[in-house]
Amino acid sequence: MPQTLRARALLLDMDGTLVDSTAVVEKLWLRWAEPHALEPQRVLDVVHGRQGHQSMAILLPARDHEINLRENREMLAAESADVDGVVEIPGADRFLAALQNAPHAVVTSADIALMTARMGAAGLRVPDLAITAESVSASKPDPEGFLLAAERLGVAPADCIVFEDSAAGIAAARAAGMRVIGVGAAAAAHSPDATVPDLTAVQVTVDADTGTVTLALN
């Protein structure tokens, strides 16, 4: 049975929510992990949704964080240069088009260059407001990025709905006091308020007078 939710603003993760970049993310991170003899599944469990330097700090807790920051810059550059296989999550283009007249933002752990590269590879419009790695001092699961987006949109956190796929992202949205719609089969394990298999399952209506967004989830 369809579920209906209403909000004054939508905040959208990028990787796994708007674009499918799984193949390149996992390829580059497993390549990074190999010389450290890290267990591959452990790496994949950690890296999704977080900024790279935080993932490195979790995986190599004894290492000097300056090394993590340097290698994170190298990883971001490599990811920006490799968009082979990056495509839109089904329904993302239509979904973003429906939000043209509604308050919304992308909130991503990517930096500006990587966000631009992946959204471009997927053929997607970048929202006017983009909260990227450069915008914040703390990575998801810290709520800073979502709270900053709500502040810039002039909308209370409780009036925002977040679309996310990862454990770190869903935790960040919850910590911000926002409702969360999980995108993709794996998101359900992290207890979002609702789940959809992809964005084709979301119908968007925007009230022209108030800007209120009504979401019908199929």
Side-chain angles (χ1 to χ4, degrees):
M1 190 171 176
Q3 183 176 359
T4 301
L5 298 170
R6 289 180 177 82
R8 290 197 54 229
L10 300 188
L11 309 182
L12 318 171
D13 175 50
M14 182 182 71
D15 290 301
T17 300
L18 296 174
V19 307
D20 183 354
S21 55
T22 303
V24 68
V25 168
E26 295 189 349
K27 176 183 71 176
L28 292 175
W29 273 99
L30 291 179
R31 182 186 300 165
W32 172 86
E34 189 172 352
H36 303 292
L38 294 168
E39 200 273 317
Q41 190 56 54
R42 166 67 174 154
V43 175
L44 299 183
D45 287 343
V46 167
V47 300
H48 292 292
R50 292 182 169 87
Q51 290 188 34
H53 62 83
Q54 187 190 51
S55 296
M56 293 172 186
I58 292 170
L59 292 164
L60 299 173
R63 191 166 77 159
D64 185 339
H65 196 58
E66 286 302 315
I67 300 174
N68 297 337
L69 294 172
R70 174 174 55 79
E71 290 191 1
N72 181 55
R73 291 190 291 269
E74 294 168 356
M75 177 68 76
L76 287 168
E79 289 181 307
S80 297
D82 188 349
V83 292
D84 186 37
V86 173
V87 296
E88 70 165 308
I89 293 291
D93 186 43
R94 178 191 57 81
F95 178 69
L96 286 170
L99 294 178
Q100 285 273 22
N101 297 317
H104 67 289
V106 62
V107 181
T108 176
S109 294
D111 64 3
I112 291 171
L114 180 55
M115 176 194 68
T116 303
R118 286 190 176 157
M119 292 289 279
L124 298 177
R125 172 185 67 84
V126 176
D128 291 340
L129 178 58
I131 304 298
T132 63
E134 295 94 340
S135 309
V136 297
S137 61
S139 169
K140 300 172 186 177
D142 190 282
E144 181 184 359
F146 288 124
L147 291 172
L148 179 60
E151 179 185 348
R152 290 190 179 175
L153 291 171
V155 177
D159 291 328
C160 297
I161 289 179
V162 173
F163 281 74
E164 264 284 3
D165 70 302
S166 70
I170 291 171
R174 286 229 176 273
M178 300 174 181
R179 291 165 290 165
V180 194
I181 296 173
V183 180
H190 312 303
S191 302
D193 295 283
T195 60
V196 291
D198 57 44
L199 296 173
T200 64
V202 184
Q203 300 299 317
V204 178
T205 305
V206 180
D207 187 295
D209 295 322
T210 66
T212 299
V213 182
T214 300
L215 304 172
L217 312 182
N218 299 310

